[in-house]
Amino acid sequence: MRELDGYRAVMRRIADAAEKRKSDGHVQDEENDLQSTRVTDNSSLNACTEENSRINRYAVYDNRQDACATDTSCMTTCVANDSCSNIQCRQMYAHIREAEAEAEKTVRVEATVEGGVTRSMSFSEKTELYVRATGERTGLVYTEKLDADPRETVLQAYENGQLGETAEEMNTSDCRGALGTPCREYSAAELNAFAASLERELTEGCPRADRAEVRASQLISRIGVVNSRGADISGQAGRFDVTVRIPLKDDPMKSYEETVTGQRLEEIRAPYFLAQHREWEQTVLPETAAFEPGTYRTVLGSQAVNFILTTAWQLFSGKRVADGTSPLSGRLGQKVFADGITIRDYKENGYPFVIDAEGTLCRDVPLVENGVFVGCMQNLASAKLFRELGTGGAADRVSTVDWMNQCVSTGNAGRRALLSGNIHTDMTIVPKNFVLEEGDQTLEELIRACGDGIYICESYDQFHSLNVVTGDFHFPCRGVRIRDGRLAECLYGLTMNGNVLTLFADVLALGKGRRIEPMAIYENYLVSGPAMLVRKLEISG
Amino acid sequence: MPENATYARVLEYAAGLGAEFAELFVEDREETNIPMAQGRLLGVKSLRIYGAGLHLINGRQRVYVYTNDTSEESLLRLARRGVEMLAEKKRAAAAGLVLEEHIFHNPCPVVRYPGEVQAAEKIRMLRLADTAARSAGPAVRSLSLSYFDTDQRVVIANTEGLLARDRRVTTRVRISPVVENEKGTYGSMGEYTRAQGFESFRDTGAYEEAARDAVCSADRILRADTVKPCVVPVVVAAGEGTLWHESCGHSLEATAIASGSSAFVGKLGMQVASPKVTLIDDGTLAGQYGSSAIDDEGHPRQRNVLIENGVLKGYLCDRYHGRLIGMESSGSGRRQNYTYAPASRMSNTFLAEGDDDEEEMIRSVAEGLYVKRIGGGYGGSQFALAVQEGYWIKNGQLDRQVKNLTLTGSGIDVISRIDRVGRRMKLEGGSFCGAVSGLVPTTTPQPMCRISEMAIG
């Protein structure tokens, strides 16, 4: 990636310096030199804690810088010049053991048509840079200022790391090359024409609607990773997202809404939305007068299942499973869900992914196979945690081969896992296309099989309703009473209460077809599941 | 950041190509994040958010384009691209756009800008909060803390000749403990949030108390009882105004009104709530998280009375959605950053003080729920709010703590059932509201109030 050009030279220099130190045996000398300085300074500052010594050491660097650097520019130039006369600067750079720059570039074009009129259009092009450097510990700089000097940025990351206490994993593979398929960039006019045509078809195809809103967008994303360990890799992927909203003519506060994604715009067609809309219309019925809270045999619609998956995917985070903050901790290899429940995280089958934020190739990850918990989503750090745990730790029922599979990154490193008011900088675990596999029952068959119960057709508040440590959930929702295998009256203001482990253990049948639910706002991953019939679920309201 | 002359040239160029209205939003924001987990410092993270967005409006169509290459050449390219997307071009505007800089006072003064404070000092503060949380009493299984500061500088210029600047500084500590006792394990979150510089940590006791409270609250929740879903009177504590934000705030935003998805459409001047309800959104409140000098369209923030004595008085409008419903901006055009087009959003949204006695509010309830703290929620025509800390009221007294409860209902229905509003307003630190233009800082202060009956479950 062009945005990483400036960083390649810096990474090479750091790699060369590290190599040279190794061969010269200088590392220990410099460490000793710094150690003696630290002790002296600590005593003078009367500092006693481990942290203070680190902070003071940082101050030592600052002091040296002030004392000796007549030209502060050498603080950056000597990254590429180890003959700099400023010995303190040389020492500082000599202590950057490894560094990495990751660039995430997105180009997005979007058009929104409503009621036959183009409402809005947008275009954006943005590159984000995450730069990490490790001396003894790892520091990070995130910048959108593309003209920032790469050497200064690496140095700042290194300095940030000096105050930390942890060293992060970086990709050690010498993976190289540009992967992925080049995508043709659509013009806004093309997307607008598509949206207008789809909007017309939908309005004509829905007798109870007089307008629809269609938002069509193309997103081309590219990730590049270059580091001092030899990785220099980039991956590109493109996709189209189409979101449709169709309000009822006589009650516009009630509307059908769904997003569909595809790698070709032509794949996204009106008949699918029309069929889904017809299904949705069946749930808009007169409200019932009374509802008795209790435990019901329940059909969960695909949207309601997705809202649970939106946060429940965290149960399969390798980090959580390893550190005991997932209810699945220690249960690898065990039967945890009902027969027929299979969950996988796909590199395609929705959004396309090529490499993750650490430069690891993305792959399909089996998580639950026929009810058995078989794997986790891993990044480099969580895979290391698993290696350290050993098979006697979190999982005592898995084979060595299965265990070894957990000890490598699955290409699930990312930064935007959940909503937060800040730029996401922590390298964490993020799903790609987190899919609960479908079954073979139509929704009608599930409702008939339910007999007497409730169909939860819509739920709300996907981000606040599940405690990922325990798996307990309380989702606000609306539903339809099922009587004699048929939809009867509408129920508003419900809450479904339960635990994810119990819920999926109680699944009796899975529906055919899956909706998708993109991660709100960031749209950087999606979850997807079918409707399902569960033996019992507590419903209040 | 680009120079003023660049803004004028880009805007003039967009207008010349056929944009009826063009606005540039340029942002340069520096942030620091210092996370800590299990007592270990995870490093210092420096962030720089930098870029520009161009908002074009012709009639009822809008175009939004953005980039983080703010060179003049790039911005001119962006302007051309944006205008090309407009379905209809307006007659070319006269050349010679003059930008007149307007000075607006930011209601959140800053004493110590975060960038002027050494990282070591921030770390020391975090350590104190960590110690306070661990020594709160309950067994802490894991504890994560994170320090954040933000220093956002924005410049907004438009083809009406406006040039406005604002600088918004906030500081925050998030405390995320996982607590365990004989009842099990529970993860919760507490925040200490201020629209101030680092001086917000001068009062050591305040943030240490927030850290201790996050742990103790989680411990209490674990020990709480459950209650069966029912319909009862609900008393909501002072300072817990999220109820208003979710039950009707979002429905009063012009984005919801323009799309026809709000229960308040066509009800201006009508009685929509109990006469005890006066609902205000005020982005000018001094020192509040939702306040700033100007909104993200350069409009000065203002006090907007939305409902007065139960009568609907107005909506929250940004320029574009206001235009769709025939109303002027109310200084409510907000966005997370330059990557979002502005939309109408809340700021500090609160129920005005009433004249009811707070103690009587509970004393007169035979059986009901007292909500001391509200967690996250969901808004719209139907809303849902998690009760983070709730107590069962029996015979006019708090009987026991209860858990796993959600308040649900239809906003317009619930606000008609307000039968008591207390006298004492209580402010709160604030948090983020997520919607169409991203996450924006908001607060939800309120006096204690009571809903005559409501579904809990």
Side-chain angles (χ1 to χ4, degrees), chain A residues 10 13-14 58-96 149-159 162:
Chain A
V10 180
R13 174 67 188 91
I14 291 168
Y58 186 63
V60 168
Y61 278 132
D62 287 345
N63 294 339
R64 288 171 169 188
Q65 203 173 322
D66 291 343
C68 71
T70 50
D71 175 9
T72 53
S73 66
C74 74
M75 297 303 290
T76 56
T77 55
C78 67
V79 162
N81 175 16
D82 60 3
S83 64
C84 176
S85 60
N86 185 332
I87 186 170
Q88 283 77 22
C89 298
R90 285 216 312 275
Q91 279 182 328
M92 182 179 274
Y93 292 120
H95 281 77
I96 300 179
D149 187 315
R151 291 166 298 187
E152 281 183 27
T153 310
V154 171
L155 180 60
Q156 165 92 58
Y158 166 72
E159 288 176 347
Q162 294 312 292

Side-chain angles (χ1 to χ4, degrees), chain A residues 138-151:
Chain A
T138 306
L140 177 132
V141 169
Y142 165 89
T143 185
E144 296 173 7
K145 204 156 186 342
L146 301 180
D147 54 3
D149 187 315
R151 291 166 298 187

Side-chain angles (χ1 to χ4, degrees), chain A residues 183-332:
Chain A
C183 313
R184 177 173 81 82
E185 195 179 308
Y186 273 52
S187 70
E190 285 175 287
L191 287 174
N192 189 51
F194 171 86
S197 160
L198 180 59
E199 195 268 347
R200 243 187 337 267
E201 279 185 79
L202 295 175
T203 307
E204 288 167 8
C206 300
R208 291 178 66 187
D210 58 359
R211 68 190 164 99
E213 182 183 306
V214 175
R215 190 176 76 225
S217 66
Q218 183 191 29
L219 179 81
I220 299 174
S221 61
R222 188 180 289 177
I223 293 179
V225 176
V226 53
N227 71 24
S228 61
R229 291 184 157 216
D232 188 352
I233 188 167
S234 68
Q236 175 175 291
R239 68 171 206 253
F240 297 92
D241 297 330
V242 175
T243 300
V244 162
R245 190 173 77 89
I246 309 174
L248 286 180
K249 189 166 28 185
D250 51 2
D251 187 357
M253 283 180 61
K254 294 191 172 75
S255 59
Y256 155 78
E257 189 167 342
E258 184 168 355
T259 299
V260 167
T261 191
Q263 288 179 48
R264 286 167 12 106
L265 192 57
E266 307 78 60
E267 293 168 0
I268 302 170
R269 308 293 298 272
Y272 171 81
F273 291 110
L274 291 170
Q276 295 298 104
H277 180 262
R278 277 194 294 276
E279 204 169 81
W280 171 81
E281 274 188 330
Q282 292 173 35
T283 69
V284 185
L285 296 164
E287 190 170 353
T288 187
F291 167 70
E292 187 62 36
T295 301
Y296 289 87
R297 201 169 162 94
T298 305
V299 176
L300 287 172
S302 184
Q303 190 265 12
V305 171
N306 283 346
F307 267 40
I308 295 170
L309 298 180
T310 297
T311 41
W313 65 262
Q314 295 173 91
L315 271 63
F316 299 92
S317 149
K319 179 179 180 299
R320 283 191 173 277
V321 171
D323 71 17
T325 55
S326 162
L328 290 174
S329 296
R331 301 189 67 178
L332 199 59

Side-chain angles (χ1 to χ4, degrees), chain A residues 296-372:
Chain A
Y296 289 87
R297 201 169 162 94
T298 305
V299 176
L300 287 172
S302 184
Q303 190 265 12
V305 171
N306 283 346
F307 267 40
I308 295 170
L309 298 180
T310 297
T311 41
W313 65 262
Q314 295 173 91
L315 271 63
F316 299 92
S317 149
K319 179 179 180 299
R320 283 191 173 277
V321 171
D323 71 17
T325 55
S326 162
L328 290 174
S329 296
R331 301 189 67 178
L332 199 59
Q334 294 180 20
K335 184 102 177 353
V336 291
F337 296 150
D339 290 340
I341 296 287
T342 293
I343 300 175
R344 300 190 184 106
D345 185 51
Y346 287 102
K347 68 172 184 170
E348 289 181 338
N349 200 357
Y351 292 172
F353 291 84
V354 181
I355 62 169
D356 72 4
E358 292 174 324
T360 304
L361 292 176
C362 294
R363 62 176 168 91
D364 296 342
V365 187
L367 302 167
V368 175
E369 293 289 347
N370 213 17
V372 178

Side-chain angles (χ1 to χ4, degrees), chain A residues 109-111 113 118 121 186-196, chain B residues 84-85:
Chain A
V109 192
E110 185 177 290
V113 173
T118 301
M121 285 191 168
Y186 273 52
S187 70
E190 285 175 287
L191 287 174
N192 189 51
F194 171 86
Chain B
E84 279 172 2
M85 292 182 189

Side-chain angles (χ1 to χ4, degrees), chain A residues 240-540:
Chain A
F240 297 92
D241 297 330
V242 175
T243 300
V244 162
R245 190 173 77 89
I246 309 174
L248 286 180
K249 189 166 28 185
D250 51 2
D251 187 357
M253 283 180 61
K254 294 191 172 75
S255 59
Y256 155 78
E257 189 167 342
E258 184 168 355
T259 299
V260 167
T261 191
Q263 288 179 48
R264 286 167 12 106
L265 192 57
E266 307 78 60
E267 293 168 0
I268 302 170
R269 308 293 298 272
Y272 171 81
F273 291 110
L274 291 170
Q276 295 298 104
H277 180 262
R278 277 194 294 276
E279 204 169 81
W280 171 81
E281 274 188 330
Q282 292 173 35
T283 69
V284 185
L285 296 164
E287 190 170 353
T288 187
F291 167 70
E292 187 62 36
T295 301
Y296 289 87
R297 201 169 162 94
T298 305
V299 176
L300 287 172
S302 184
Q303 190 265 12
V305 171
N306 283 346
F307 267 40
I308 295 170
L309 298 180
T310 297
T311 41
W313 65 262
Q314 295 173 91
L315 271 63
F316 299 92
S317 149
K319 179 179 180 299
R320 283 191 173 277
V321 171
D323 71 17
T325 55
S326 162
L328 290 174
S329 296
R331 301 189 67 178
L332 199 59
Q334 294 180 20
K335 184 102 177 353
V336 291
F337 296 150
D339 290 340
I341 296 287
T342 293
I343 300 175
R344 300 190 184 106
D345 185 51
Y346 287 102
K347 68 172 184 170
E348 289 181 338
N349 200 357
Y351 292 172
F353 291 84
V354 181
I355 62 169
D356 72 4
E358 292 174 324
T360 304
L361 292 176
C362 294
R363 62 176 168 91
D364 296 342
V365 187
L367 302 167
V368 175
E369 293 289 347
N370 213 17
V372 178
F373 175 34
V374 296
C376 305
M377 295 176 283
Q378 307 280 15
N379 63 8
L380 291 172
S382 68
K384 187 183 173 196
L385 272 180
F386 264 72
R387 284 198 296 276
E388 288 168 356
L389 269 178
T391 50
D396 50 8
R397 296 191 186 189
V398 310
S399 70
T400 307
V401 173
D402 288 342
W403 180 255
M404 291 304 289
N405 282 336
Q406 303 308 311
C407 297
V408 293
S409 170
T410 53
N412 283 94
R415 292 188 168 88
R416 292 181 175 87
L418 293 165
L419 291 183
S420 153
N422 292 74
I423 297 291
H424 299 253
T425 52
D426 292 345
M427 188 63 81
T428 184
I429 290 165
V430 180
K432 302 180 290 282
N433 297 286
F434 185 83
V435 172
L436 167 62
E437 301 288 3
E438 61 191 276
D440 57 2
Q441 307 276 297
T442 64
L443 181 62
E444 204 179 347
E445 286 168 336
L446 292 176
I447 289 168
R448 203 179 307 131
C450 178
D452 190 64
I454 292 176
Y455 168 44
I456 300 294
C457 51
E458 197 173 353
S459 64
Y460 317 106
D461 200 11
Q462 69 222 80
F463 291 106
H464 299 100
S465 306
L466 187 142
N467 183 327
V468 72
V469 177
T470 61
D472 291 340
F473 62 78
H474 308 276
F475 279 91
C477 56
R478 79 172 182 92
V480 183
R481 192 76 167 83
I482 301 171
R483 296 182 197 278
D484 296 328
R486 289 184 182 174
L487 296 179
E489 322 90 1
C490 258
L491 301 165
Y492 288 92
L494 305 179
T495 304
M496 53 175 173
N497 310 292
N499 183 284
V500 173
L501 297 193
T502 317
L503 178 80
F504 286 111
D506 278 344
V507 170
L508 299 172
L510 291 161
K512 198 190 292 183
R514 293 182 277 109
R515 267 178 76 119
I516 66 159
E517 191 67 40
M519 158 61 169
I521 298 185
Y522 302 122
E523 297 176 352
N524 59 329
Y525 64 84
L526 61 82
V527 299
S528 178
M532 59 192 202
L533 171 64
V534 293
R535 188 175 289 112
K536 58 182 191 303
L537 187 61
E538 188 192 310
I539 313 278
S540 57

Side-chain angles (χ1 to χ4, degrees), chain B residues 398-452:
Chain B
L398 299 188
D399 183 57
R400 64 191 192 278
Q401 186 164 356
V402 290
K403 64 180 175 183
N404 295 346
L405 290 174
T406 307
L407 306 177
T408 54
S410 145
I412 203 158
D413 177 42
V414 166
I415 64 174
S416 67
R417 297 187 198 182
I418 299 292
D419 67 355
R420 299 279 196 288
V421 177
R423 298 165 186 152
R424 289 188 296 275
M425 175 65 70
K426 187 177 173 194
L427 301 175
E428 56 103 27
S431 60
F432 290 103
C433 164
V436 64
S437 59
L439 300 162
V440 298
T442 57
T443 69
T444 53
Q446 74 153 18
M448 187 187 277
C449 68
R450 191 172 80 182
I451 302 137
S452 58

